[in-house]
């Protein structure tokens, strides 16, 4: 069974700090990686995707991918209370069907 | 991104009954996905709904329990049959983004089975 692992948290950071969220995956052939944000009672919202090794920046968000180590991370700079949510890592599996597998999510709390 | 709506947004149902959830997209899409998110858990793919063919179910999910219809390229339904309290979950439909690997989710249906 292909797995995506995340620390469930909660991860607490003070307002203005950098939040670092990590994810590991088991399918070495995976090529597409996603971060979704899910507020309580709401559906997941895509915030970042990354395909290549290295960093990808979008505003306060940076996704980092290391395929050799099979991990992907999300950095949130200048964290705001509005960033408090559960962050889901998702990985598109290799192979013909290319199913997306979601991690269990990390709950982030940004303390004012 | 696609605009996705779901009906109902929430429901409370009795054990042994069935509920049909509707998913409507504002553009034509080849595939639609149905997910379940149990309390405190992540998303689990139930099935992929393809227009003009039978849905493809994931391991642990069967057509008799979760029949799916896909009458056209903008609409799908998921029925949760013979419900038990263990079916209490949020049910989400999603569609792939045009030209990319990403998916967009509908607002979800929060189901409580008593």
């Amino acid at each position: 069974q292909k797995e995506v692992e995340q620390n469930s948290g909660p991860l607490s950071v003070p307002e203005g700090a950098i939040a670092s969220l990590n994810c590991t995956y088991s399918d070495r052939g995976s090529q597409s990686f996603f971060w979704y944000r899910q507020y309580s009672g709401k559906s997941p919202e895509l915030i970042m995707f990354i395909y290549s090794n290295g960093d990808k920046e979008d505003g306060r968000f940076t996704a980092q991918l290391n395929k050799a180590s099979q991990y992907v991370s999300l950095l949130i700079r200048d964290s705001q209370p509005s960033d408090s949510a559960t962050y889901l890592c998702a990985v598109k599996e290799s192979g013909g069907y290319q199913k997306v597998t979601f991690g269990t999510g990390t709950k982030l709390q940004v303390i004012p | 991104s696609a605009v996705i709506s779901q009906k109902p947004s929430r429901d409370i149902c009795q054990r042994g009954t069935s509920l049909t959830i509707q998913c409507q997209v504002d553009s034509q899409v080849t595939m639609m996905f149905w997910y379940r998110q149990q309390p405190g858990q992540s998303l689990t793919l139930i099935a992929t709904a393809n227009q003009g063919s039978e849905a493809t179910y994931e391991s642990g999910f069967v057509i008799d329990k979760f029949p799916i219809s896909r009458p056209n390229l903008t609409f799908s339904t998921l029925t949760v049959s013979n419900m038990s309290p263990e079916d209490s979950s949020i049910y989400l439909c999603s569609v792939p983004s045009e030209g990319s690997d990403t998916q967009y989710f509908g607002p979800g249906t929060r189901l409580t089975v008593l």
Side-chain angles (χ1 to χ4, degrees):
Chain A
Q1 172 126 6
K2 296 170 181 175
E3 296 181 341
V4 178
E5 302 282 347
Q6 294 182 257
N7 187 321
S8 61
L11 173 67
S12 294
V13 300
E15 183 175 355
I18 296 175
S20 178
L21 306 164
N22 300 311
C23 170
T24 60
Y25 59 94
S26 63
D27 181 10
R28 185 171 288 277
S30 297
Q31 298 295 320
S32 305
F33 308 87
F34 312 92
W35 284 99
Y36 287 83
R37 178 177 61 199
Q38 186 173 27
Y39 292 113
S40 181
K42 302 293 186 182
S43 63
E45 168 193 14
L46 178 71
I47 53 172
M48 290 286 288
F49 59 89
I50 186 167
Y51 302 142
S52 304
N53 277 328
D55 295 0
K56 178 182 178 182
E57 187 174 317
D58 184 1
R60 295 187 296 112
F61 299 97
T62 299
Q64 299 176 316
L65 175 61
N66 184 323
K67 290 184 180 179
S69 300
Q70 294 175 241
Y71 85 78
V72 57
S73 62
L74 179 70
L75 301 178
I76 306 174
R77 289 182 299 282
D78 188 24
S79 295
Q80 301 296 309
S82 59
D83 295 326
S84 299
T86 296
Y87 290 80
L88 303 171
C89 173
V91 176
K92 193 163 191 177
E93 297 176 3
S94 60
Y97 184 54
Q98 296 194 326
K99 170 186 168 182
V100 175
T101 299
F102 286 81
T104 53
T106 298
K107 185 171 184 177
L108 173 66
Q109 295 177 339
V110 181
I111 312 300
Chain B
S1 63
V3 177
I4 307 169
S5 60
Q6 284 186 237
K7 291 181 182 180
S9 59
R10 61 178 60 229
D11 208 342
I12 300 174
C13 300
Q14 295 297 319
R15 180 195 299 259
T17 62
S18 298
L19 176 72
T20 295
I21 302 167
Q22 300 178 6
C23 179
Q24 179 77 51
V25 188
D26 69 341
S27 59
Q28 295 185 338
V29 292
T30 305
M31 290 187 293
M32 295 175 77
F33 305 101
W34 286 99
Y35 286 86
R36 179 175 73 181
Q37 187 174 31
Q38 294 178 303
Q41 304 295 314
S42 189
L43 285 76
T44 301
L45 181 64
I46 297 170
T48 302
N50 303 298
Q51 200 270 334
S53 64
E54 292 287 328
T56 304
Y57 288 84
E58 296 300 308
S59 175
F61 298 97
V62 295
I63 189 171
D64 289 348
K65 176 68 175 176
F66 297 101
I68 287 172
S69 78
R70 184 80 202 275
N72 58 53
L73 291 173
T74 64
F75 186 79
S76 179
T77 67
L78 170 76
T79 299
V80 186
S81 302
N82 188 25
M83 288 183 285
S84 67
E86 291 71 33
D87 294 318
S88 297
S89 284
I90 298 173
Y91 291 85
L92 295 142
C93 69
S94 79
V95 300
S97 173
E98 180 101 15
S100 81
D101 284 337
T102 57
Q103 289 185 33
Y104 295 99
F105 286 86
T109 296
R110 183 180 295 270
L111 170 62
T112 302
V113 183
L114 302 178

